[in-house]
Amino acid sequence: MEDKKGRVPSEVVAKATKEALKRRGVKIEDIAEIVYQMQLPYNAGLLMEDCIDSVERVLRKREVQHSILVGIELDELAEKKMLSEPLQSIVESDEGLFGVDETLALGAVMTYGSIALTTFGFLDKSKIGIIKQLDTKIDSSVHTFLDDLVASVAASAASRIAHRQRDLEEDGNVPEDVHALVLESSSHTK
């Protein structure tokens, strides 16, 4: 699984990240739905496939992958009651003053700039879509980290779309052309 220098190949980390999200009940489309909701008021030509593509590209970033893997691992350990006290109780109850869950998510979102940061803050407070489902405890599952990480990915993907749209508009592309060009330009860049 690792090379001679102890590094884990990117494709192994990417696969583990997607599998962890799936295991926890989060689909790419769930995150893309939030991105769509956040960006549609600013981009009338936005399609769901643009949002899915943007989420996929955000999930290719190592910082994002690492954050997701660490956060999900901590949530799962808390579900199994394998953390030491008082950390077990803090994570299990998603204590309001804990803040480490947001800090981990913020580390990932910082890659995408101030738009991603402010969008993350909004999503952290408003808890829409899958974020709300993860935050609402209905059984013994723990999503203390995951709800914030999903908000981070959604905020990053929304920021990515906003920046690409602005670049295209400044290049003189009319709004009808933006969709095709967003998809075309995103297939060539991260």
Side-chain angles (χ1 to χ4, degrees), residues 22-105:
K22 184 178 179 182
R23 183 175 69 244
R24 300 303 285 175
V26 177
K27 296 180 284 198
I28 302 300
E29 294 81 8
D30 296 332
I31 303 171
E33 190 65 46
I34 296 167
V35 175
Y36 185 79
Q37 201 172 335
M38 298 305 299
Q39 283 301 299
L40 188 60
Y42 310 104
N43 182 344
L46 185 66
L47 298 175
M48 193 61 174
E49 67 185 83
D50 299 327
C51 300
I52 291 170
D53 179 67
S54 193
V55 169
E56 291 277 2
R57 292 187 179 280
V58 167
L59 289 173
R60 291 182 190 167
K61 292 275 199 186
R62 279 285 188 143
E63 299 91 335
V64 174
Q65 295 167 347
H66 293 164
S67 295
I68 290 170
L69 291 173
V70 168
I72 287 176
E73 187 80 12
L74 288 168
D75 283 344
E76 290 176 335
L77 289 171
E79 283 178 2
K80 296 173 186 171
K81 304 208 181 292
M82 295 179 71
L83 299 174
S84 59
E85 288 296 347
L87 186 59
Q88 175 66 41
S89 295
I90 293 167
V91 172
E92 195 172 10
S93 67
D94 197 0
E95 188 175 304
L97 293 177
F98 181 52
V100 176
D101 47 341
E102 284 88 0
T103 303
L104 185 62

Side-chain angles (χ1 to χ4, degrees), residues 94-109 117 120-121 124-125 127 135 144-145 147-149 152:
D94 197 0
E95 188 175 304
L97 293 177
F98 181 52
V100 176
D101 47 341
E102 284 88 0
T103 303
L104 185 62
L106 280 170
V109 86
L117 184 61
F120 172 75
D124 186 42
K125 289 295 178 198
K127 309 240 187 263
D135 188 59
T144 299
F145 288 89
D147 65 328
D148 294 308
L149 290 164
S152 174

Side-chain angles (χ1 to χ4, degrees), residues 163-178:
H163 282 284
R164 283 193 161 37
Q165 180 182 356
R166 177 67 178 267
D167 291 345
L168 292 169
E169 289 170 357
E170 287 181 2
D171 287 344
N173 295 301
V174 292
E176 307 86 64
D177 298 336
V178 170

